[in-house]
Amino acid sequence: MVKSLNQIRNDFPILDQKVNDEDLVYLDNAATTQKPRAVVEALAHYYYTDNANVHRGVHTLAERATADFEAAREKVRAFINARSTTEVLFTRGTTTSLNWIAASYGEKVIGAGDEIVISYMEHHSNLVPWQQLALRKKATLKYIKMTADGHLDMTDAAEQITDKTKIVAIAQVSNVLGVVNPIKALAKLAHEHGAIMVADGAQSLPNMPVDVQELDCDFLAFSGHKMLGPTGIGVLYGKEAILNEMPPIEFGGEMIDFVDLFQSSWKELPWKFEAGTPDISGAIGLGAAIDYLSAIGMANVQAHEQELVNYVLPKLLAIDDLTVYGPHDPAQHTGVIAFNLNGLHPHDLATGLDMEGVAVRAGHHCAQPLMKYLKVPATARASFYLYNTKADADRLVDAIVATKEFFKHGTV
Amino acid sequence: MVKSLNQIRNDFPILDQKVNDEDLVYLDNAATTQKPRAVVEALAHYYYTDNANVHRGVHTLAERATADFEAAREKVRAFINARSTTEVLFTRGTTTSLNWIAASYGEKVIGAGDEIVISYMEHHSNLVPWQQLALRKKATLKYIKMTADGHLDMTDAAEQITDKTKIVAIAQVSNVLGVVNPIKALAKLAHEHGAIMVADGAQSLPNMPVDVQELDCDFLAFSGHKMLGPTGIGVLYGKEAILNEMPPIEFGGEMIDFVDLFQSSWKELPWKFEAGTPDISGAIGLGAAIDYLSAIGMANVQAHEQELVNYVLPKLLAIDDLTVYGPHDPAQHTGVIAFNLNGLHPHDLATGLDMEGVAVRAGHHCAQPLMKYLKVPATARASFYLYNTKADADRLVDAIVATKEFFKHGTV
Amino acid sequence: MALSSLDNLYRQVILDHSAHPHHHGHLQQVTNEIEMRNPTCGDVIQLEVAVFNDKINDIAFSGDGCTISQASASMMTDAVIGNTPAQAEEMVQVFSKMIIGDQPNLDTKILEDASVLNGVAKFPARIKCAALAWKALNNALTSNDGKGKAGQIVEHHDN
Amino acid sequence: MALSSLDNLYRQVILDHSAHPHHHGHLQQVTNEIEMRNPTCGDVIQLEVAVFNDKINDIAFSGDGCTISQASASMMTDAVIGNTPAQAEEMVQVFSKMIIGDQPNLDTKILEDASVLNGVAKFPARIKCAALAWKALNNALTSNDGKGKAGQIVEHHDN
Ligand SMILES: Cc1ncc(COP(=O)(O)O)c(C=O)c1O
Ligand SMILES: Cc1ncc(COP(=O)(O)O)c(C=O)c1O
């Protein structure tokens, strides 16, 4: 990396604290990442020098705020290599982005008997909007199966996607299994059948280079807070031709061209979709996060995480009574690792790890259909990010072993 | 006030700057307010010590973040005197709040021939959602007239609201005319006809005490950024019985009770409506803004603005060739003052003021139907807030006069 | 090591109840029943109650959950069996107060074994695990749809 | 006082064009026409063009707007009348570059009076005011629906 790992850690003040008398090891990055000083300072700088409403004012602050806000949009555009900023809509997060596709594009295009194809590993945010759309429209929701080690079954994908399919919606990276799904191949398949491809990028954007033109997906949704940015801001990328045909989802200030008493017309892209005062500071914070990630380089971020997985996955697999979900080959596994200690509920395991200062998640990870598919009620999940170290990985392994011992003997 | 005006101004670093070589006078508060250090520091504190995703994790940071987030909800509840936090939904802002009512309650309740009653002075965000709902449902959108000095005509209100009316939606404070609308009386009228009352609180919450139980409105929408809080966060208050009957608008993580492959069920209020990772830092920032406002006291905020209006309105009215919209009696006028220099487009006026360091807005203020009603293409608008001074008011008056002179003589 | 504080939560009696839960399974005759979930973690409990002559004659639970939720359910069944619904309601109230730790001098004797769950107050993320069975009981006894009074018995956020 | 910098924007010729706009009104014979708006400020222009034998024979505008937008429209009509649509397109390009101020050595002679609008580059909030009439001309000449090429001629945000 350009910066040393130590330098990077120093950029994240939150990491330098004790939790339950132990040094914090934060391994809940798939839920949300921590923020570097640069991002928090971008917020403070905005509020202390430039804050004003955007696209409305003639005065100097308004012009500065508008320029800052639109500069953030351009940063997002460059980060995902979209053709134009008209294709970059700011939303509240992945969930809102996906709901917008379903509520606007889906509402318009889906009819009775049409098919929407997703997978068993989808996050509820890329599942329930399609499920409810299908219920509203009497359309068919279809699930692509997985292979034994947790990859998307592309043979099944080729069968599920048919000429009746209108929408294929798949996570680029699973938030549980740590697998990467072949969006480009899925997009090709979808397009061959006249369907559009929706990529849920919540877990991919933070961790790997993503190029929408290369993937040829029609939509891409992601969240700022999972990639060093603030909460409350997310992105919906959509191909311009498709966005142009879509009706807006919310109505109000900023998105109108002309309002008459009984009818109105809309602005051009991207503003057509951005009703009301946008999350200006959120967009600026996301821009600062993108600057931070770009300075390190997404390929380097990915390589660092891969190194950690190479290091920790074999150690986890070596723990007796520990089940690891998803592929066991580190080369096939991203920095998200779900596991269970046999005989112990993951909540108890997570509480044990928390007592050791190690923050992991336990639960269904907003993926209840996947839990059912895996036949487990819940799992624990550790997820690594650019500021995590091998020492963090060791702490995780040690804490799992100690917790296991505690519950075996009923005491430490 | 509890704090002196000087102390208050010191809490807002942005005010201490030069714009076009002049000391900044920020009078665009109706568009968005500036933020005190306490709010920005609450964001930084959250990100530097407690940041984690909420309602998901077993670990310590997640528990702290959840507690912070839900504490903010309780602050909002207390601020508007809602019965319970189940009635307080976090949204992206007023615009999203109003759209949610239209998309969920409106979609369910409105049928062909039903009436939705609004007024000519509504902001586009409290107009276009109802207009589009009416178009979708073949319902009738009706406008309550105004009196000559810009007040809502309550006689006409009593005529427009009939037994066919299902929704009455009115701004509590106009963002152009500086009038306060009698929400309590309108709610009574609406309820007598079996309709519900939606109050757009975007301009009232920042400036006066608001008590939803006293008003007896069924919904209240407002934005954090207009009341010292961050951008990206807003509130939808709704009566619990009504919210309980409403379907959620967005689907995904956090808002579900149980997700099966082909159907799902929802959580209890308020989480049923909050799909996906919420704007955690935004809610916390809004909580800090409410703390700041409450420490001063909303009655004091209102009194301070009234004092400024008493001071500046007569001075503005005394300027030859200046037209002031809305009531000319200062006691009837809030801190939002719209005006035009005869013969000069408000954009030119605003640019002149900006050169003098005075930030005002010029345009239609997202109220094109009102502009048409007033028979002006646009107006300038100065809006005062708790950190503004009489010196600011003088600067405004002087700058208007100087700009007028410039355009009269084509030079300074 | 900080793991030692786990002892405060996972007392031996809790581990025992969890490993060998009492009244686990199903009843022949059921007067009140309910299924409840903790939406976030996926824990689920099915509770069956047989109330005859204003007495909880028998009770049984099944479902999935963590050590705390299983132990709590087992202890709850022990505590309420043989009592009137009104007495059981009273226990629910006491238990709810205990686990949020607001009242240090609370008399928790009527809760029997379940009183050792007071340690959960120090583990806020786990309060909902301990509460689930009691909340289910409350709902099973007081409302038809298993939802009506859910909010009343615990003061924290249900998720 | 800072107001003096207004001179850079509001040159006398601009004030004159705004006070007494040229080609204001309507044409008898119209080959291309369009109505365009700046959604934020509410400015609106109706533009009518008469193109015969590949020449802009006549042109007229009406609508509402600020000093800058009215002056710009008036100057635009002066500049393009008598030119071919292709030449007018060329002028639109030059004007668009001029008002964003990226190219200090830009040759703006063909814009005639309109070249004094270069001062607008220092007033970013007003660029859209200056651009409206030229954007309308571009759309009137190049697309049927008045929308197709709107984004191409100015590099800033249209609002
Ligand atoms: C009266 C009124 N309603 C609604 C809004 C919309 O608020 P927001 O842009 O924060 O969604 C505003 C502010 O612009 C307003 O003044
Ligand atoms: C794969 C995936 N999709 C969607 C989401 C939802 O993102 P958000 O909660 O930011 O809307 C998440 C994160 O929770 C995720 O991991």
Side-chain angles (χ1 to χ4, degrees):
Chain A
M1 299 214 192
V2 187
K3 285 185 171 191
S4 76
L5 200 46
N6 252 337
Q7 285 172 316
I8 289 178
R9 289 185 69 85
N10 281 336
D11 292 335
F12 293 82
I14 197 172
L15 298 177
D16 185 22
Q17 69 172 296
K18 296 233 181 249
V19 153
N20 298 316
D21 302 327
E22 306 282 342
D23 288 331
L24 170 65
V25 174
Y26 184 76
L27 296 177
D28 193 16
N29 293 292
T32 200
T33 63
Q34 300 306 338
K35 320 302 169 199
R37 271 203 191 80
V39 166
V40 177
E41 283 165 7
L43 303 179
H45 180 267
Y46 170 69
Y47 283 128
Y48 288 161
T49 62
D50 295 346
N51 176 61
N53 213 325
V54 294
H55 295 311
R56 296 186 175 185
V58 171
H59 60 80
T60 299
L61 289 190
E63 193 50 43
R64 290 212 299 253
T66 304
D68 293 351
F69 178 66
E70 292 299 335
R73 197 190 304 274
E74 165 57 24
K75 287 177 190 182
V76 173
R77 187 210 62 73
F79 192 66
I80 61 173
N81 194 30
R83 283 166 207 79
S84 155
T85 51
T86 54
E87 302 186 319
V88 175
L89 316 183
F90 284 121
T91 69
R92 201 166 49 93
T94 307
T95 302
T96 300
S97 298
L98 293 166
N99 274 280
W100 280 15
I101 309 171
S104 176
Y105 185 85
E107 198 67 33
K108 195 175 146 185
V109 163
I110 296 293
D114 286 342
E115 295 171 354
I116 303 168
V117 177
I118 62 174
S119 88
Y120 287 102
M121 70 174 92
E122 296 315 312
H123 188 281
H124 293 160
S125 294
N126 194 34
L127 191 161
V128 187
W130 308 119
Q131 177 192 79
Q132 298 298 309
L133 175 65
L135 286 174
R136 280 199 303 278
K137 298 289 185 178
K138 300 194 196 320
T140 309
L141 185 67
K142 294 168 81 180
Y143 286 82
I144 301 174
K145 293 205 190 83
M146 303 185 313
T147 64
D149 69 349
H151 279 102
L152 203 69
D153 182 337
M154 287 301 284
T155 316
D156 192 48
E159 283 185 19
Q160 300 295 339
I161 299 171
T162 72
D163 286 349
K164 286 191 182 165
T165 305
K166 291 282 188 303
I167 297 172
V168 180
I170 301 285
Q172 188 172 13
V173 169
S174 159
N175 69 319
V176 180
L177 298 169
V179 296
V180 181
N181 292 322
I183 297 299
K184 189 177 176 172
L186 288 162
K188 191 155 174 286
L189 212 49
H191 293 157
E192 281 165 12
H193 292 280
I196 60 137
M197 180 70 215
V198 177
D200 172 355
Q203 297 295 341
S204 56
L205 268 288
N207 302 305
M208 57 174 62
V210 172
D211 178 331
V212 290
Q213 296 192 53
E214 158 76 13
L215 294 176
D216 199 24
C217 54
D218 300 280
F219 291 103
L220 173 73
F222 57 99
S223 300
H225 71 94
K226 290 186 197 282
M227 49 189 285
L228 307 183
T231 57
I233 189 82
V235 172
L236 174 56
Y237 157 83
K239 284 185 186 163
E240 182 166 339
I242 298 179
L243 291 179
N244 264 327
E245 296 306 313
M246 274 164 61
I249 299 99
E250 294 189 354
F251 307 97
E254 313 259 355
M255 56 71 74
I256 57 94
D257 173 39
F258 185 68
V259 175
D260 215 336
L261 291 182
F262 303 106
Q263 59 189 36
S264 304
S265 58
W266 321 130
K267 263 193 198 166
E268 300 173 0
L269 289 176
W271 303 288
K272 173 172 105 175
F273 288 98
E274 296 182 354
T277 304
D279 186 0
I280 308 169
S281 74
I284 288 168
L286 175 56
I290 286 175
D291 286 343
Y292 188 94
L293 287 170
S294 303
I296 292 174
M298 290 310 295
N300 291 325
V301 170
Q302 191 175 22
H304 174 70
E305 288 173 40
Q306 193 59 57
E307 204 183 315
L308 289 175
V309 174
N310 293 348
Y311 180 80
V312 76
L313 195 58
K315 286 186 199 283
L316 291 172
L317 291 168
I319 299 175
D320 268 353
D321 300 330
L322 195 84
T323 304
V324 174
Y325 303 95
H328 287 188
D329 174 3
Q332 301 285 313
H333 210 114
T334 71
V336 174
I337 307 179
F339 53 88
N340 266 328
L341 260 182
N342 305 345
L344 187 64
H345 192 280
H347 262 197
D348 300 310
L349 174 54
T351 292
L353 300 190
D354 187 44
M355 289 302 118
E356 294 282 57
V358 179
V360 303
R361 254 193 92 183
H364 54 60
H365 314 293
C366 301
Q368 289 181 348
L370 175 61
M371 297 293 116
K372 204 167 170 181
Y373 195 95
L374 297 175
K375 299 197 176 62
V376 292
T379 82
R381 180 188 73 184
S383 47
F384 293 83
Y385 205 36
L386 48 79
Y387 36 66
N388 289 122
T389 62
K390 289 187 183 162
D392 290 347
D394 288 335
R395 290 274 307 281
L396 170 67
V397 172
D398 292 348
I400 293 174
V401 172
T403 304
K404 176 179 142 184
E405 292 303 312
F406 173 88
F407 281 99
K408 197 173 261 169
H409 306 298
T411 180
V412 200
Chain B
M1 298 212 194
V2 188
K3 285 184 170 191
S4 75
L5 200 47
N6 251 337
Q7 285 173 318
I8 290 177
R9 289 185 67 86
N10 280 336
D11 292 335
F12 294 81
I14 197 171
L15 297 178
D16 185 20
Q17 69 173 293
K18 296 232 181 250
V19 154
N20 297 317
D21 302 326
E22 306 283 342
D23 288 332
L24 170 65
V25 173
Y26 184 76
L27 296 178
D28 194 15
N29 293 291
T32 200
T33 64
Q34 300 306 338
K35 321 303 170 198
R37 272 203 190 81
V39 166
V40 176
E41 284 165 7
L43 302 179
H45 180 266
Y46 170 69
Y47 283 129
Y48 287 161
T49 61
D50 296 345
N51 175 61
N53 213 323
V54 295
H55 296 310
R56 295 186 174 185
V58 170
H59 60 79
T60 301
L61 289 190
E63 193 50 43
R64 290 213 298 254
T66 305
D68 293 351
F69 178 66
E70 292 299 335
R73 197 190 305 274
E74 165 57 23
K75 287 178 191 181
V76 173
R77 186 209 62 73
F79 192 66
I80 61 172
N81 193 31
R83 284 165 208 80
S84 154
T85 51
T86 54
E87 302 186 319
V88 175
L89 316 184
F90 284 120
T91 69
R92 201 165 49 91
T94 307
T95 302
T96 300
S97 298
L98 293 166
N99 274 278
W100 280 15
I101 309 171
S104 176
Y105 184 86
E107 197 67 32
K108 197 175 146 186
V109 163
I110 296 292
D114 287 342
E115 296 172 354
I116 304 169
V117 177
I118 62 175
S119 86
Y120 287 101
M121 71 174 91
E122 297 314 313
H123 187 281
H124 293 160
S125 293
N126 195 32
L127 191 162
V128 187
W130 308 120
Q131 177 192 78
Q132 297 298 310
L133 175 66
L135 286 174
R136 282 199 302 278
K137 299 289 185 176
K138 301 192 196 320
T140 309
L141 185 67
K142 294 168 81 179
Y143 287 83
I144 301 174
K145 293 204 191 83
M146 302 185 314
T147 63
D149 70 348
H151 280 102
L152 203 69
D153 182 338
M154 288 301 286
T155 316
D156 192 48
E159 282 185 19
Q160 300 294 339
I161 300 172
T162 73
D163 286 349
K164 284 191 183 165
T165 306
K166 291 283 189 303
I167 297 173
V168 180
I170 301 285
Q172 188 170 15
V173 169
S174 159
N175 69 319
V176 179
L177 298 170
V179 296
V180 181
N181 292 321
I183 297 298
K184 189 175 174 174
L186 287 162
K188 192 156 173 286
L189 211 50
H191 294 157
E192 281 164 12
H193 292 281
I196 60 139
M197 180 70 217
V198 177
D200 173 354
Q203 298 294 342
S204 55
L205 268 288
N207 302 306
M208 57 173 61
V210 172
D211 177 330
V212 290
Q213 296 192 53
E214 159 75 11
L215 294 176
D216 199 25
C217 55
D218 300 281
F219 291 104
L220 173 74
F222 57 98
S223 300
H225 71 94
K226 291 187 197 281
M227 48 187 285
L228 306 183
T231 57
I233 191 81
V235 172
L236 174 56
Y237 157 84
K239 283 186 186 162
E240 181 165 339
I242 298 179
L243 291 178
N244 263 328
E245 297 306 312
M246 273 164 61
I249 298 101
E250 295 189 354
F251 307 98
E254 312 259 356
M255 57 70 75
I256 58 94
D257 173 40
F258 184 66
V259 175
D260 215 335
L261 291 182
F262 302 106
Q263 58 188 39
S264 303
S265 58
W266 322 131
K267 262 193 198 166
E268 298 172 4
L269 289 176
W271 303 287
K272 175 172 102 173
F273 289 97
E274 295 181 355
T277 304
D279 185 359
I280 308 168
S281 74
I284 289 168
L286 175 56
I290 287 176
D291 286 343
Y292 188 92
L293 288 171
S294 302
I296 292 174
M298 290 310 294
N300 291 326
V301 170
Q302 192 175 20
H304 174 69
E305 288 172 40
Q306 193 58 58
E307 205 183 315
L308 289 175
V309 174
N310 293 347
Y311 180 79
V312 77
L313 196 56
K315 286 185 198 284
L316 290 171
L317 291 168
I319 300 175
D320 268 353
D321 300 331
L322 196 83
T323 304
V324 174
Y325 303 95
H328 287 190
D329 173 3
Q332 301 284 315
H333 210 115
T334 71
V336 174
I337 307 177
F339 53 89
N340 267 329
L341 260 183
N342 304 346
L344 188 63
H345 193 279
H347 263 197
D348 300 310
L349 174 54
T351 292
L353 300 191
D354 188 44
M355 288 303 118
E356 294 283 57
V358 179
V360 302
R361 253 193 93 183
H364 54 59
H365 316 292
C366 300
Q368 289 182 348
L370 175 61
M371 296 295 115
K372 205 166 168 181
Y373 195 95
L374 297 175
K375 299 198 176 58
V376 292
T379 82
R381 180 188 73 185
S383 47
F384 292 82
Y385 205 36
L386 48 79
Y387 36 66
N388 288 121
T389 62
K390 289 187 182 162
D392 290 347
D394 288 334
R395 290 276 306 279
L396 170 67
V397 171
D398 292 347
I400 293 173
V401 172
T403 304
K404 179 180 138 182
E405 292 302 312
F406 174 88
F407 281 99
K408 197 173 264 168
H409 307 297
T411 180
V412 200
Chain C
M1 56 151 56
L3 206 55
S4 60
S5 50
L6 273 189
D7 285 338
N8 301 329
L9 179 59
Y10 296 99
R11 314 260 177 91
Q12 191 57 48
V13 52
I14 293 176
L15 296 175
D16 290 345
H17 268 279
S18 165
H20 309 286
H22 307 176
H23 306 103
H24 194 270
H26 297 276
L27 300 184
Q28 298 269 329
Q29 277 197 304
V30 177
T31 59
N32 302 52
E33 67 183 324
I34 197 165
E35 173 170 303
M36 280 204 75
R37 248 181 286 271
N38 269 336
T40 310
C41 57
D43 283 4
V44 56
I45 185 170
Q46 291 93 21
L47 189 66
E48 302 175 359
V49 195
V51 180
F52 296 113
N53 303 323
D54 195 38
K55 217 181 77 178
I56 297 176
N57 230 37
D58 207 353
I59 183 163
F61 79 98
S62 55
D64 271 315
C66 62
T67 301
I68 303 298
S69 74
Q70 296 299 297
S72 183
S74 171
M75 290 163 162
M76 180 274 286
T77 56
D78 277 358
V80 301
I81 205 164
N83 284 285
T84 65
Q87 287 167 325
E89 282 297 299
E90 167 74 22
M91 290 180 199
V92 169
Q93 297 303 330
V94 172
F95 185 84
S96 305
K97 284 178 190 151
M98 178 184 79
I99 55 174
I100 59 173
D102 277 357
Q103 299 185 26
N105 299 321
L106 192 72
D107 183 355
T108 60
K109 266 200 315 288
I110 54 167
L111 300 180
E112 302 178 9
D113 276 6
S115 66
V116 306
L117 280 166
N118 63 357
V120 86
K122 294 259 158 50
F123 295 78
R126 307 305 299 280
I127 291 175
K128 61 178 177 290
C129 312
L132 183 62
W134 300 78
K135 193 165 168 177
L137 176 69
N138 186 56
N139 283 11
L141 295 177
T142 58
S143 70
N144 305 326
D145 63 353
K147 288 203 163 176
K149 309 217 170 175
Q152 298 180 5
I153 72 148
V154 275
E155 300 285 296
H156 71 284
H157 315 297
D158 170 42
N159 46 72
Chain D
M1 61 152 49
L3 205 55
S4 60
S5 49
L6 273 188
D7 284 339
N8 302 326
L9 180 58
Y10 297 99
R11 315 256 177 93
Q12 191 57 49
V13 50
I14 294 177
L15 295 176
D16 289 347
H17 269 278
S18 165
H20 309 287
H22 307 174
H23 306 103
H24 194 270
H26 298 275
L27 300 185
Q28 299 267 333
Q29 275 198 305
V30 177
T31 60
N32 301 52
E33 68 182 323
I34 196 165
E35 172 169 305
M36 280 203 76
R37 245 180 288 271
N38 269 335
T40 310
C41 56
D43 282 5
V44 55
I45 185 170
Q46 291 95 20
L47 191 64
E48 300 175 1
V49 195
V51 179
F52 295 113
N53 303 324
D54 195 38
K55 217 180 79 180
I56 297 177
N57 231 38
D58 207 354
I59 183 162
F61 78 99
S62 54
D64 270 316
C66 62
T67 301
I68 302 298
S69 74
Q70 297 299 298
S72 182
S74 170
M75 292 163 160
M76 181 275 287
T77 56
D78 277 358
V80 301
I81 204 163
N83 285 284
T84 66
Q87 287 166 324
E89 281 297 297
E90 168 74 20
M91 290 181 200
V92 169
Q93 298 303 329
V94 171
F95 186 84
S96 306
K97 284 178 190 148
M98 178 185 79
I99 55 173
I100 59 172
D102 277 358
Q103 300 185 28
N105 299 322
L106 192 70
D107 182 355
T108 60
K109 265 198 315 289
I110 53 166
L111 301 181
E112 303 179 9
D113 275 6
S115 66
V116 306
L117 279 165
N118 63 355
V120 86
K122 294 258 158 50
F123 295 78
R126 308 303 300 279
I127 292 175
K128 60 178 178 291
C129 311
L132 183 62
W134 299 78
K135 193 163 165 178
L137 176 69
N138 187 55
N139 282 12
L141 295 178
T142 59
S143 69
N144 303 327
D145 62 353
K147 287 203 165 179
K149 307 215 170 175
Q152 298 179 7
I153 72 147
V154 275
E155 300 285 298
H156 71 283
H157 316 298
D158 170 41
N159 47 72

